[in-house]
Amino acid sequence: MNELEQVAIRMKEIQIALKSWRYEMFDEYATKIKAELPQELREEIGADEAAGWRAVLKQLPYNTNGLPEEWTNKIWLLEDREYQYWTMYRELLEQRAQMAELIIKQREYVNQAALEKIYDTHGSQRFNAFTSYDQTTYMVGLPSNCLELWMYIESDRFQNPVFREFYSEKDVVIEEKEMYANQPGSIIYNTFMKTAYDAHPYGKPILGWMSDIELTLRTDMEEHFKRFYAPNNCQLTIVGDVDTKKVFKLAEQYFKSWQPSQVADEMTVVEPEQNGERRVVIEYDAEPRLMIGYHVPVEPHPDAYTLSMISSILSGGRTTRFYKSIFDKQGLTASAPGAWRGPGDRYPNLFIINATPKSPHTTAVVEEAILSEIEKLKDESVTDRELERVRNQLSMQKIQRLGSNRWLAFALNGAYVDRGDLHSISDDFDRLMSVTPEDIQRVASKYFTKKNRTVALMVKPTEVADATELETGESE
Amino acid sequence: MKLKYTITLILTITLLSASLPADILAKKPQSYEDVKLPKLKWQIPEYSEFKIDNGIEGLVVEDDEIPMVYYTIVFPAPPDPQDKVGLAEMTAWTLRNGGSTNIHADSLNDIIEFEAAWIGIWNDQEQMRISGYGHKDDLAFLLGLTRELIQHPAYPEDKIELKRSTMLENIRRKYDRPNGIAHREIEKLIYPNHPWGRETSEATVNAIQRDDLIAYHNLVINFSDAVIGFSGNIRKDDAKLLSDKYFGDFKSNKGSIAVLPPVGDQAETGVYYFKKDVSQAFVTVGHQTIDYYDPQRIAAELMNYILGSGFGSRLTKRIRVDEGLSYSVWSGLWTPVPVKGEFRASAATRLDQAGRTLALMKSVIAEYAENGPTEEEFNEAQKKYVNSYVWKYEDSADILYRLTYLKWRGLPLDTPQRDLDAYQNLKIEDVRKAAKELLQPDNLVIVVVGDEEKMDRPLADFGKVHELKKDEG
């Protein structure tokens, strides 16, 4: 629907011309007007977005002279030479109303949730898709008689998609981002990641920045789709009660016409070596949290296996070091601190530790306790029993996971994306099992250095001073 | 048990390398409707039952796919006393993490985790469940430890204090997340003065003493009404033998376990507002509804599915797909066994469109209550329920969990089969009737977490506004 795209393009132009600060000020004013509409009018408008914006437009003055006194007095942006911006903003609101109307009109041409309904009526489970740092995955569980239906639908949607509801779905993505923006765990995570990474995209949020989302056009998405959603950049994984020969035959039949694209491994940015500890404090009205990270390599780098082993020695059960020492014996945290590697597995990542202090203990005290456990890894050899326990757990986990079709499918997709080699699943396991106590001491000393460290703290605005004065050592 | 659709092979297709002779290529059907699908063959897997002399009833779901065994024991338990909310949670945690008088907690954890096994103890306001999972060769070892824990629990003071301080920290953190606030507040309004509507506070957590834990333990660890279940790589005869060996000598006395009291009236309809400085409002609405035994249970389940579950539901279509107002919008309808149930609908949305979202949510519910589903919606939902039933039997531990639940509740073990029949026999009129009789759009309790000053409509537009505050202290 080109009309819709034209409105979106015009909205984008105006928004860029207004500059974000001017746009935000105008918008705040319009929202206030909207909230103060007479009650009868609000009832009448109800959930009609277009009617809402038109009602606001009626209340807004045509020129800047009519704006409230506090604006005309204080703000130089409303002087004559800025007059055009106000006119543009009014046009933007009109475009918003039009966009809302066009989205409604568009519904006449859309058979909503058709795909979901087809799968659903056939008894599907977990029909969904996700985007992680390394991959985009489309998944569904189906009763085994639906194999050919799956071939039909998936081959059709990736070869012949029509992106009909882009702009209403974009609003949904904005809501998704807002949702994370109000979760303390997600706030500290994003800030921690962007502090740790200078160059590599692992430092950027998966959903991008709000301004990126707002200004993205449907045509931008189509470009992306054409490049990356191609058979030469894709693996289909099927696990379950199916006949192999039949699967290959059907895949050939349904997917053969899918044309390859020019996509290549385009991510060439290498994160430069960190040249000193990075520390960031987030002021937020929630109880304290902290994250600590070190830059580390990923598999098949030999040290990566040792790092995996270290994370299992530190966290993940009642006999791990973080649990026993920091949570149980010292009682410093609300739960045992976690240790894992992320945010992706395809490029060099971070060894990450997170913790939530238990009052009255501060982030500083918890940080000190974590760092002392890290030092212990360098100074003392881990015991044979600790290592043996982790090996036992890893072996059992391997058996256990074989019981899950879904886990196998994810593992096989991950092996393709991260390593381009399905054998890596068993190779990695063997290498992990052969990590020695000497490896652990050597690897801990190599990567867990102050210079290579990033620390993020979340503290209440009233307690910032306490949290940032690390050296005082006062905890209680 | 070996289900037909469990893993029989693994394969992946890297498209570039797929190449087969062209002559085997058949032509693609014109429409997905022309794709001929074979009939799905499956049946509800078998299970067996046993009973041992002291009254324990047992269930077994055999599944030899991997060499692991899961077991679970259900003990009926009373709800927390009003002045000691948190007692059951503290008891369950300390029982698991406190060790026994013979085995120190650290040694216990060490021997369990060294074997890569797991023991967990969990509770709600009606039951305490002790479960374990491990290699089949470790089963006797795990049952032995379970016996040791329940027979000689230590309940050491240091672990009680550790749990207490952890619970207090969680109370301190309970206002950090807007959706958490909304969910807690609406439970209190729908189940006022009822164990399901209570939450822990500094006072109730501090009031719990070691003696309370021990008294609770002695009351709950009673095998007269206990149910034990095993799933995985185990034979039924072994399950009975082991149950008898490890738990057969426990005396059973028909103790009187307090049951959940009936639920009183919900709070008066209106808007309950919790002010929080966030950029997204969290809106949740609800009211009381029928319990498990109501003849409309199955119709109600399908009715709610059409209204608020899945991408094709009414609420998702109108609020997410059409208007782009929320990432996640849903409704749920619970029909619990012991007391009245609950209908709920929720959405998170930007503050400047919270009023619009709430108005839309209310109108979608009202319209649906009035007219019920369309033929198409009903047919699709019915097919979905019937055809996806196979997933209920994917995992033997899930099957066992469900069976032990039914047994403990005294419900027929063939309930899933009866429910499936009921779904198949449902008519659209039943669902329309359920929508009309069960949804109460004029009787909603509305909870809003956010900043009203930044919202597009005053909350008074939606009813009398009551302001909610943080607890004292």
Side-chain angles (χ1 to χ4, degrees), chain A residues 42 112 120-121 123 152 169 175 178-179 241-242 288 318-319 328 358-359 385 392 402 405, chain B residues 4 7 9 30 97 110 113-114 159 165 169 172-173 279-280 305 317 320 322 353 387 391 461:
Chain A
R42 288 200 305 270
Q112 273 178 348
D120 250 8
T121 51
Y152 187 100
E169 188 60 21
E175 288 300 333
E178 288 285 0
M179 180 179 78
D241 183 19
V242 286
R318 293 182 177 90
T319 49
D328 191 350
K358 183 163 79 181
S359 178
R385 191 168 169 88
N392 290 347
L402 287 172
N405 289 356
Chain B
K4 282 279 188 279
I7 337 160
L9 71 134
Q30 283 294 308
N97 294 284
D110 182 69
E113 294 197 355
F114 191 79
K159 297 292 180 194
S165 62
E169 181 62 29
R172 214 169 279 125
R173 289 176 181 269
S279 60
Q280 202 180 35
Y305 174 80
K317 176 177 156 22
R320 175 177 162 143
D322 284 355
Q353 52 196 24
N387 288 334
W391 294 107
D461 282 7

Side-chain angles (χ1 to χ4, degrees), chain B residues 49-60:
Chain B
E49 293 179 72
F50 64 84
K51 192 164 181 163
I52 46 182
D53 292 344
N54 63 346
I56 310 175
E57 300 199 78
L59 287 154
V60 187

Side-chain angles (χ1 to χ4, degrees), chain A residues 5-240:
Chain A
E5 194 66 2
Q6 278 159 18
V7 172
I9 291 169
R10 180 64 189 145
M11 284 172 75
K12 180 176 177 172
E13 283 169 4
I14 298 176
Q15 201 170 329
I16 292 171
L18 285 174
K19 302 261 192 312
S20 63
W21 53 269
R22 201 181 277 116
Y23 170 74
E24 277 161 22
M25 290 181 81
F26 289 167
D27 229 26
E28 204 175 299
Y29 178 61
T31 306
K32 198 166 147 258
I33 296 283
K34 203 176 177 190
E36 286 165 3
L37 292 174
Q39 191 183 345
E40 318 85 70
L41 198 54
R42 288 200 305 270
E43 300 285 353
E44 195 190 308
I45 295 166
D48 186 339
E49 192 187 359
W53 288 121
R54 296 239 159 83
V56 171
L57 261 174
K58 268 195 193 145
Q59 305 290 319
L60 289 184
Y62 278 97
N63 56 49
T64 52
N65 301 339
L67 285 167
E69 211 171 306
E70 71 257 31
W71 278 54
T72 37
N73 285 344
K74 282 181 201 161
I75 299 169
W76 56 269
L77 86 158
L78 294 176
E79 285 165 9
D80 281 350
R81 65 194 162 94
E82 307 285 344
Y83 179 79
Q84 51 159 332
Y85 291 124
W86 183 248
T87 313
M88 283 169 90
Y89 180 73
R90 287 186 52 95
E91 188 196 338
L92 182 77
L93 291 191
E94 175 51 37
Q95 302 277 1
R96 251 187 218 170
Q98 257 194 50
M99 171 75 90
E101 281 169 351
L102 286 169
I103 285 175
I104 291 169
K105 203 170 147 196
Q106 185 189 35
R107 284 179 213 150
E108 291 167 27
Y109 305 93
V110 179
N111 184 2
Q112 273 178 348
L115 209 61
E116 160 107 359
K117 285 174 189 169
I118 297 167
Y119 275 145
D120 250 8
T121 51
H122 284 87
S124 67
Q125 190 208 38
R126 295 195 170 97
F127 173 51
N128 215 331
F130 67 83
T131 313
S132 74
Y133 279 95
D134 296 329
Q135 60 182 297
T136 299
T137 300
Y138 290 77
M139 59 200 168
V140 65
L142 286 166
S144 58
N145 65 325
C146 295
L147 177 65
E148 189 168 349
L149 178 74
W150 179 85
M151 294 280 181
Y152 187 100
I153 288 179
E154 300 302 320
S155 64
D156 188 48
R157 78 158 151 170
F158 291 115
Q159 290 181 81
N160 313 304
V162 182
F163 301 111
R164 291 186 181 89
E165 290 175 292
F166 178 81
Y167 291 101
S168 53
E169 188 60 21
K170 196 168 95 165
D171 288 340
V172 173
V173 176
I174 290 173
E175 288 300 333
E176 184 185 5
K177 190 148 175 79
E178 288 285 0
M179 180 179 78
Y180 296 125
N182 290 298
Q183 293 173 357
S186 164
I187 295 167
I188 187 174
Y189 184 82
N190 283 334
T191 308
F192 168 75
M193 282 300 165
K194 71 183 183 211
T195 308
Y197 283 100
D198 274 340
H200 196 276
Y202 273 173
K204 299 191 171 66
I206 290 178
L207 279 177
W209 308 110
M210 195 58 101
S211 47
D212 293 340
I213 303 174
E214 280 175 357
L215 297 178
T216 300
L217 300 171
R218 192 195 67 207
T219 34
D220 298 328
M221 186 190 67
E222 277 173 357
E223 283 302 306
H224 175 90
F225 181 88
K226 274 183 203 146
R227 255 170 79 201
F228 295 99
Y229 284 58
N232 47 329
N233 194 38
C234 167
Q235 173 174 280
L236 311 176
T237 305
I238 297 160
V239 179

Side-chain angles (χ1 to χ4, degrees), chain B residues 287-454:
Chain B
H287 60 65
Q288 292 178 349
T289 191
I290 54 172
D291 66 19
Y292 180 89
Y293 296 103
D294 192 286
Q296 293 206 75
R297 173 173 65 93
I298 296 288
E301 171 81 15
L302 207 71
M303 181 275 282
N304 173 69
Y305 174 80
I306 296 168
L307 173 64
S309 301
F311 286 131
S313 75
R314 289 267 180 112
L315 284 169
T316 302
K317 176 177 156 22
R318 292 292 293 125
I319 292 174
R320 175 177 162 143
V321 183
D322 284 355
E323 306 284 342
L325 289 170
S326 182
Y327 173 65
S328 167
V329 48
W330 53 266
S331 73
L333 190 141
W334 291 271
T335 51
V337 174
V339 292
K340 274 192 256 185
E342 180 184 10
F343 165 75
R344 285 271 300 281
S346 297
T349 184
R350 271 197 343 254
L351 292 171
D352 63 0
Q353 52 196 24
R356 194 172 136 223
T357 306
L358 183 52
L360 191 57
M361 191 187 250
K362 282 186 75 172
S363 80
V364 170
I365 296 171
E367 197 279 326
Y368 183 66
E370 185 58 32
N371 302 316
T374 62
E375 286 280 348
E376 194 190 354
E377 283 173 326
F378 169 76
N379 290 335
E380 282 167 0
Q382 191 178 35
K383 273 191 192 155
K384 151 134 193 142
Y385 265 78
V386 171
N387 288 334
S388 64
Y389 227 69
V390 63
W391 294 107
K392 285 193 195 290
Y393 299 94
E394 193 191 10
D395 181 51
S396 59
D398 283 352
I399 302 169
L400 176 75
Y401 185 92
R402 202 162 48 235
L403 287 169
T404 54
Y405 176 87
L406 293 168
K407 188 92 190 166
W408 159 53
R409 291 290 194 194
L411 295 167
L413 296 183
D414 65 347
T415 296
Q417 179 65 58
R418 293 174 189 223
D419 284 356
L420 178 58
D421 295 343
Y423 283 118
Q424 265 161 336
N425 294 328
L426 219 50
K427 302 275 176 292
I428 187 167
E429 295 73 43
D430 304 326
V431 180
R432 287 201 174 127
K433 182 165 169 274
K436 196 162 225 136
E437 291 177 8
L438 304 183
L439 294 175
Q440 303 163 19
D442 298 323
N443 191 30
L444 291 171
V445 172
I446 300 169
V447 174
V448 178
V449 179
D451 184 354
E452 190 186 8
E453 281 174 31
K454 294 177 188 158

